[in-house]
């Protein structure tokens, strides 16, 4: 049994007062806090290893390259991707947004005829379709909406049900034999709902489309195995999984990475460059890693993956699920509506809610004054909010370090919101 | 579950005048499209007919970080000095933005455009004061109820909320004058 109290003590940032109260951090869906091991890995890299990777012949360059590649391999083992040399399936990116844009850009180049012959499978044109869902973060919606606009393809989407779950039961109708790309989130960053991926992935493959997964909100909270999920590409960010900002990974099935044209060009991605002949690009993953990479961050991200693996993702999910059941009691507070599934099954501990009669900005201010950090706004997912008929919402999201006390502090604070603002009764003194 | 004790900043920010004004705002009428409606695209608005002998100006203000949104409509007299005959608005947002719009309407309706611009500058100075308020009492008195936003000026993230309506007023007056 993992000792979650001891785990919490590994996060130095949590040991502080905010507005005269102990900090309660409930905004891990935005970014997670970092355990000492990750902080030490990043600063330790600068203290004893720092050098460019894959270039130069000196000792530090060698150590740096080994640390970087070991981190890639550790992350690959953690998410069910190949770590084998020469068959790597993780591309280093600056984060999920960068990974998704890289992919959409590369598909765009494939549509213009760039890349190896095998890249034709990514080519889009008028009459073709890209399918997303209405639950998408803007980081999925916008790159693929732009790709559709650039290529003349049509963007269609799976709708949401009343609870905000993606209507995967409509996959067979929405995904047609014109569909070339399906891009979808594994876990909604507003609703916390876990997508039932199997019917969508199966249908995508049935019509010959590639399936792109946004794994940002699943990798930190659930056991995730990209091979087992049978997805073709997947993007996620290190900073949401207790690693540093500035680093992320794009998973691609090896044969697809080999078929994909590069999206960015520069140093370290080219084998032969000439003035008067086309360049010859490197094999993946280097082909997609132009320029100096966030090496210290990637090394620390590898440590974050090993750190999570040592706790065990089943234990992490179990811990968070127990807290989620309690957190969902938000829905019992008068005037509070949960925007997402009401039960703790097939969802994570990211819970968006509305307090009737009090704008999220005001709710957030009141909650913050109690030393509790939650997110307010549209969480980069405006269409999801439109689905629920609201402009913005409040969102509490759990991480490994949260406790029952944290959840109770939030429940108490939210219960005080309407009395404070004099809504649904008289103002509390 | 009992409401918790509040810190002072919160009480200073959410004064009774603000909460009251946000619940029953002055000048709010429904004329802009409902943007939570999936059928309506963002940003479009229906320009209202001006009063007789008036130039109408309208300005749409949006704060993308929190989604606060307001369309401000003014009718400005053709006669000089140009006078604000009517200010109405439609929108949605937090209690700070809504109360600020309401108190602004009460303050500027019937004033000349020049007087309203003076108030705009004074209110701006208040919001930039980081909680300290205005040095001159006379200036503070001119702001009337709008002085209650002094508590908000301590919170950098909320200053934009209080200024939303005022920015819209300035812009819509300029648009009205461009027609007059
Ligand atoms: C579901 C989802 N997708 C994509 C992103 C984008 O991640 P990043 O901002 O780290 O690139 C986020 C984070 O905000 C997210 O929650």
């Amino acid at each position: 049994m993992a000792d979650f109290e001891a785990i919490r003590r590994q996060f130095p940032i949590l040991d502080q007062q905010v507005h005269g109260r102990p900090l309660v951090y409930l905004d891990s869906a935005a970014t997670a806090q970092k355990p000492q091991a990750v902080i030490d890995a990043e600063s330790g890299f600068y203290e004893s290893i720092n050098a460019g990777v894959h270039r130069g012949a000196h000792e530090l360059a060698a150590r740096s390259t080994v640390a970087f590649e070991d981190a890639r391999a550790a992350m690959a083992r953690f998410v069910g991707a190949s770590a084998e040399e020469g068959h790597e399936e993780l591309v280093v990116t600056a984060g999920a947004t960068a990974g998704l844009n890289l992919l959409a850009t590369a598909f765009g180049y494939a549509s213009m005829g760039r890349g190896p012959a095998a890249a034709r499978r990514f080519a889009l044109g008028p009459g073709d379709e890209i399918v997303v869902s209405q639950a998408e973060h803007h980081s999925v919606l916008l790159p693929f909406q732009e790709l559709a606009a650039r290529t003349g393809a049509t963007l269609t989407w799976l709708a949401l049900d009343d609870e905000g779950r993606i209507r995967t039961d409509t996959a067979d109708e929405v995904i047609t034999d014109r569909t070339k790309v399906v891009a979808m989130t594994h876990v909604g960053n507003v609703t916390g709902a876990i997508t039932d991926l199997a019917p969508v992935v199966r249908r995508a493959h049935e019509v010959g489309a590639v399936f792109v997964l946004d794994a940002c909100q699943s990798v930190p909270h659930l056991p995730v195995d990209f091979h087992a999920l049978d997805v073709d590409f997947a993007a996620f960010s290190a900073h949401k999984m207790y690693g540093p900002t500035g680093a992320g990974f794009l998973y691609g099935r090896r044969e697809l990475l080999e078929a994909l044209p590069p999206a960015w060009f520069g140093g370290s991605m080219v084998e032969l460059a000439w003035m008067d002949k086309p360049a010859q690009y490197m094999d993946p993953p280097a082909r997609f890693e132009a320029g100096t990479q966030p090496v210290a961050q990637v090394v620390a991200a590898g440590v974050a993956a090993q750190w999570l693996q040592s706790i065990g993702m089943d234990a992490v999910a179990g811990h968070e699920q127990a807290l989620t059941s309690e957190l969902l009691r938000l829905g019992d507070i008068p005037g509070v509506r949960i925007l997402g599934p009401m039960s703790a099954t097939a969802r994570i501990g990211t819970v968006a809610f509305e307090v009737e009669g009090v704008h999220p900005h005001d709710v957030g201010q009141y909650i913050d004054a109690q030393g509790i950090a939650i997110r307010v706004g549209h969480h980069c997912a405006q269409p999801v909010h439109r689905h629920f008929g609201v402009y913005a919402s409040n969102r509490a999201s759990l991480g490994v370090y949260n406790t029952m006390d944290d959840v109770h502090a939030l429940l108490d604070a939210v219960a005080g919101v309407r009395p404070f603002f004099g809504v649904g009764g008289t103002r509390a003194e | 579950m009992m409401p918790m004790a509040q810190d002072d900043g919160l009480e200073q920010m959410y004064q009774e005048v603000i909460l009251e004004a946000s619940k029953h705002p002055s000048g709010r009428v429904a004329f802009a499209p409902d943007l939570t409606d999936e059928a309506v695209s963002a940003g479009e608005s229906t320009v209202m007919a001006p009063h007789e002998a008036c130039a109408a100006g309208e300005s749409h203000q949006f704060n993308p970080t929190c989604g606060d949104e307001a369309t401000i409509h003014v009718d400005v007299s053709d006669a000089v000095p140009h006078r604000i005959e009517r200010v109405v608005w439609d929108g949605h947002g937090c209690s700070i933005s809504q109360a600020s719009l309401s108190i602004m309407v009460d303050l500027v309706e019937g004033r000349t455009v020049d007087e309203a611009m003076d108030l705009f500058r004074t209110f701006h100075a208040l919001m930039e004061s980081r909680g300290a308020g205005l040095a001159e009492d006379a200036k503070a008195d001119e702001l009337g109820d709008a002085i209650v936003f002094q508590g908000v000026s301590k919170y950098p993230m909320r200053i934009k909320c209080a200024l939303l309506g005022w920015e819209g007023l300035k812009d819509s007056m300029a648009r009205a004058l461009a027609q007059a």
Side-chain angles (χ1 to χ4, degrees):
Chain A
M1 257 302 288
D3 175 357
F4 282 93
E5 277 174 35
I7 288 167
R8 181 189 172 88
R9 286 195 296 274
Q10 296 178 36
F11 290 81
I13 201 171
L14 298 177
D15 184 21
Q16 67 172 301
Q17 304 249 316
V18 167
H19 304 310
R21 289 159 182 271
L23 169 64
V24 174
Y25 189 76
L26 292 171
D27 196 15
S28 297
T31 196
Q33 299 302 348
K34 321 303 173 201
Q36 194 65 54
V38 169
I39 298 169
D40 290 349
E42 190 172 342
S43 59
F45 176 85
Y46 287 126
E47 281 163 7
S48 56
I49 306 178
N50 185 46
V53 299
H54 296 302
R55 48 182 104 162
H58 57 77
E59 171 59 20
L60 290 189
R63 276 193 227 162
S64 185
T65 303
V66 168
F68 184 72
E69 291 304 327
D70 282 355
R72 187 200 306 273
M75 187 62 77
R77 284 190 294 273
F78 181 60
V79 294
S82 165
E84 198 189 326
E85 203 181 329
H87 297 272
E88 297 91 344
E89 290 182 316
L90 289 186
V91 173
V92 166
T93 66
T97 304
L100 291 159
N101 275 280
L102 185 166
L103 202 55
T105 303
F107 289 173
Y109 289 151
S111 309
M112 296 163 73
R114 304 297 298 162
R120 293 296 78 72
R121 62 174 302 164
F122 306 121
L124 290 150
D128 292 332
E129 291 165 354
I130 300 173
V131 176
V132 297
S133 87
Q134 200 184 338
E136 299 316 312
H137 189 280
H138 295 166
S139 291
V140 173
L141 174 62
L142 300 181
F144 287 101
Q145 199 170 60
E146 278 292 324
L147 176 64
R150 281 201 300 274
T151 57
T154 307
L155 187 85
T156 60
W157 57 91
L158 296 185
L160 306 182
D161 70 10
D162 290 347
E163 283 198 315
R165 287 190 186 279
I166 299 172
R167 291 280 313 274
T168 56
D169 57 314
T170 63
D172 286 357
E173 296 142 51
V174 179
I175 300 170
T176 71
D177 41 14
R178 316 299 305 260
T179 305
K180 290 285 174 60
V181 178
V182 178
M184 207 155 289
T185 194
H186 198 180
V187 172
N189 73 313
V190 175
T191 61
I194 301 172
T195 311
D196 177 19
L197 288 177
V200 192
V201 175
R202 183 192 46 69
R203 176 64 178 163
H205 289 161
E206 192 174 275
V207 301
V210 292
F211 187 94
V212 181
L213 185 70
D214 175 357
C216 266
Q217 298 292 350
S218 55
V219 167
H221 304 288
L222 306 169
V224 170
D225 182 325
F226 294 139
H227 284 167
L229 289 170
D230 200 24
V231 298
D232 299 310
F233 293 97
F236 59 102
S237 292
H239 72 95
K240 292 180 198 283
M241 52 179 295
Y242 313 101
T245 52
F249 297 86
L250 177 68
Y251 162 80
R253 263 198 306 125
R254 182 70 198 186
E255 63 178 275
L256 294 182
L257 283 183
E258 282 170 4
L260 195 68
W264 295 319
F265 304 85
S268 301
M269 52 80 70
V270 67
E271 267 165 14
L272 296 166
W274 317 87
M275 295 311 289
D276 56 354
K277 277 197 284 188
Q280 201 173 315
Y281 300 121
M282 291 172 125
D283 285 339
R287 185 192 297 168
F288 306 103
E289 296 174 358
T292 302
Q293 298 299 304
V295 183
Q297 289 69 29
V298 166
V299 169
V303 170
Q306 286 168 304
W307 182 85
L308 276 170
Q309 202 148 33
S310 73
I311 300 169
M313 288 312 288
D314 286 320
V316 167
H319 171 72
E320 292 180 9
Q321 192 177 34
L323 297 179
T324 303
S325 301
E326 189 70 6
L327 181 55
L328 288 167
R329 287 184 49 211
L330 277 169
D332 299 338
I333 299 171
V336 175
R337 171 168 73 125
I338 289 174
L339 310 179
M342 302 286 291
S343 94
T345 46
R347 67 130 58 238
I348 65 159
T350 290
V351 180
F353 59 98
E354 178 196 21
V355 180
E356 197 195 322
V358 188
H359 190 275
H361 226 163
D362 296 322
V363 174
Q365 196 83 51
Y366 177 88
I367 302 287
D368 173 64
Q370 327 291 333
I372 304 173
I374 62 169
R375 172 102 185 250
V376 299
H378 52 58
H379 326 309
C380 305
Q382 293 180 10
V384 187
H385 284 87
R386 241 167 257 137
H387 169 76
F388 287 112
V390 296
Y391 295 99
S393 67
N394 314 285
R395 182 185 73 184
S397 54
L398 300 171
V400 276
Y401 31 65
N402 288 119
T403 63
M404 233 13 135
D405 285 349
D406 291 346
V407 174
H408 289 148
L410 179 74
L411 294 174
D412 285 350
V414 173
V417 168
R418 295 203 340 146
F420 177 80
F421 288 99
V423 173
T426 50
R427 191 177 184 186
E429 288 307 320
Chain B
M1 285 178 279
M2 286 296 295
M4 301 180 176
Q6 305 314 323
D7 75 356
D8 292 348
L10 205 61
E11 292 287 358
Q12 277 167 23
M13 175 187 278
Y14 292 112
Q15 303 210 14
E16 205 58 54
V17 180
I18 291 183
L19 294 185
E20 210 30 58
S22 73
K23 277 177 217 146
H24 308 286
S26 300
R28 180 173 177 172
V29 294
F31 63 89
D34 177 0
L35 300 181
T36 58
D37 184 340
E38 294 188 50
V40 177
S41 66
E44 37 173 292
S45 91
T46 337
V47 177
M48 299 206 311
H51 287 183
E52 271 173 49
C54 276
E58 210 164 271
S59 172
H60 178 250
Q61 297 288 319
F62 181 52
N63 180 350
T65 49
C66 59
D68 284 1
E69 183 163 23
T71 305
I72 292 99
H73 174 105
V74 292
D75 291 333
V76 172
S77 71
D78 285 342
V80 181
H82 299 295
R83 203 168 277 285
I84 300 173
E85 305 273 344
R86 180 172 72 145
V87 195
V88 289
W89 57 277
D90 190 8
H92 58 89
C94 65
S95 59
I96 303 299
S97 66
Q98 306 294 286
S100 184
L101 275 151
S102 168
I103 291 169
M104 177 189 82
V105 168
D106 292 341
L107 205 55
V108 303
E109 213 160 36
R111 307 254 194 162
T112 66
V113 168
D114 288 345
E115 288 167 344
M117 278 310 296
D118 277 343
L119 287 167
F120 171 88
R121 282 186 283 268
T122 308
F123 189 73
H124 240 278
L126 177 72
M127 295 320 295
E128 284 156 16
S129 75
R130 299 175 179 226
L134 296 170
E136 294 171 63
D137 286 348
K139 284 277 178 202
D141 289 346
E142 281 170 23
L143 283 181
D145 275 353
I147 199 72
V148 297
F149 291 96
Q150 183 174 331
V152 177
S153 71
K154 266 194 275 190
Y155 294 85
M157 309 280 283
R158 305 305 296 274
I159 292 172
K160 269 200 174 156
C161 307
L163 286 174
L164 186 83
W166 287 90
E167 296 292 350
L169 175 73
K170 179 181 163 194
D171 187 39
S172 56
M173 288 191 307
R175 286 167 190 261
L177 290 184
Q179 295 175 20

